[in-house]
Amino acid sequence: MSSGRSFQRLIQVASRSPAKLLPGLGKRKRTLSGIPAQAAYAKHAKVLAGSSKTADSETKVHEPPKKLVKYYQAAPVNKRRRGFFSQPTENEVRKAKEKGKDDIEEAASSTQADASNSKSNGKKAEEQTEEAEGDVFRNVIHELKDRGLPVEMHYARTTDGYWIPVVRIPAKESRRKLVMHLGMFDDLWSAASLVPSAREDGLDVFLIGNRNCPPFVRDPDASGEYFDYSIDELGLQDIRAADRVISNVVCNELASSQAGNGSKPAFEHIKLVHSMAGAAVFIYLTDCLVRGEAHGISQIIAAGPAGFQRPKGLLGAGSQILRLLLRIPPHWQTITAFPIGLTEETLVSEPIFKALYDVTSLKPLDKVAALALRTVLAGDTSKWAEAIRREHYNPAGMPVVTWKILLHLLQQIKSGRFARFDYGKERNSAIYKDEDPPDVAALYDLLDVRVNFIAGGQDSIVSPKAVQKHVDAILTANERRAARGDAPIDWTSEVLPNMGHLDIIDGDNKEVVACLRKHWQREYL
């Protein structure tokens, strides 16, 4: 939505009744501690089963929007300054121009719809290069090609009309597929550093985007506002749509008639998830299991998975202050369809981005900025200042977080539960068939995949204690399974003592790669 519409919406919601206060932020939520484990499990399984909607089996073939295709085929050329004072060197601009034509041709040949699109618009490579200036600096396609990797583009359409990029680095002869879903602000970039190691191990790799990331594309006739979604939709819609595309592509290649013996899948689907994507994939998986929907997942490697986060230091204090502010007029918690971040929706996005880039680039301000970020993030040792300077970030193309995602996180912090979004008793009853949102961790009893948890010892965003709560839920689930005579969930847990939140998915860190490799190298078929 435009900035004008955003401001108008702020005025409208500021006058709403206090009765509209978001539930879960100002009241004590009932936890599972006072409910017998088996009863809690049965209750929440019934709630989720009653609330879930079966995904449409789309028979209609949808062409990906031109805006989305163009975003991933654009050349990495941009003449604008990245900061007020710092900017790309002349050598960087020259190299980008030299590569521009080749990058466009290569990216177009690797996508499903790019070739026909290029013919239809009849534009020369030089003209497309000029169009790209001012729109993108670099995206994951350019990074993968710089690493000498083949790229194949697919696009997934969700049932609510959003379009998600599915980037494949193919090893089509392999029946082992590594599917990466990363965090809130990553935009596929960190995953690119892990691809070479996975390729060396013979894995067919898929990098999955989400609706948090540019270019923010959905069907023109989709209902509601673009940024009206929580973590639930990232799992139930985005991950489900991407998995459907992967299954269709891979099964067609493997000839589904040879789909395996008995209940074994046609291919081994290994998910590597990080941060908020960890919470989203468990929401999606438990939803599938409750409804009896085939998910095809063999293994989940969860690095710093969200769900039980308990922020510390200034970050924790900020979350507490925000919870208090949300309880007083104007009732900002009702503004769920609003992006928080640097996007074209925000008039001040460009000066803020330029200032951040300068502060993290110019000496000695870069050291001050790094110290300030580490202080705010309660000592997390990740290289946050370097992350801000990544080449794919620019004021028109930054990933965002929505108010509704922020509220979802605050609900989880307040309640101490890994639960679905709390809409309030009335709406919960209509959506979930219960006044309380389903507890996702209470459904771990149903898990039928191997789970490997990895925590960073210096991670203050999702601390080792927060990851341990996922492990505790697994242990509780295994106790219930043992009482029924069922096999236990296959799981492992590991802490990398020197790693921060971003470090645990850094493909250039030998310790991280060694840890991940020992998990994804295990054979299941």
Side-chain angles (χ1 to χ4, degrees), residues 74-96:
V77 177
N78 195 302
K79 292 181 179 178
R80 295 185 306 181
R81 291 183 176 182
R82 301 203 69 188
F84 289 110
F85 305 102
S86 54
Q87 62 186 56
T89 65
E90 292 184 5
N91 188 44
E92 290 173 335
V93 173
R94 179 181 57 78
K95 287 183 177 180

Side-chain angles (χ1 to χ4, degrees), residues 317-332:
S319 69
Q320 297 298 323
I321 292 171
L322 184 56
R323 279 178 46 213
L324 293 175
L325 292 176
L326 289 171
R327 297 177 60 188
I328 60 177
H331 310 307
W332 306 111

Side-chain angles (χ1 to χ4, degrees), residues 289-356:
L289 292 168
V290 165
R291 294 193 292 107
E293 175 186 333
H295 55 75
I297 302 171
S298 310
Q299 176 184 5
I300 296 176
I301 304 172
F308 288 106
Q309 54 279 344
R310 180 70 66 177
K312 301 182 295 182
L314 291 177
L315 191 64
S319 69
Q320 297 298 323
I321 292 171
L322 184 56
R323 279 178 46 213
L324 293 175
L325 292 176
L326 289 171
R327 297 177 60 188
I328 60 177
H331 310 307
W332 306 111
Q333 65 273 25
T334 60
I335 314 172
T336 57
F338 192 78
I340 305 170
L342 303 180
T343 73
E344 293 174 309
E345 310 290 337
T346 310
L347 293 176
V348 296
S349 63
E350 186 158 348
I352 290 177
F353 177 87
K354 288 178 180 293
L356 282 173

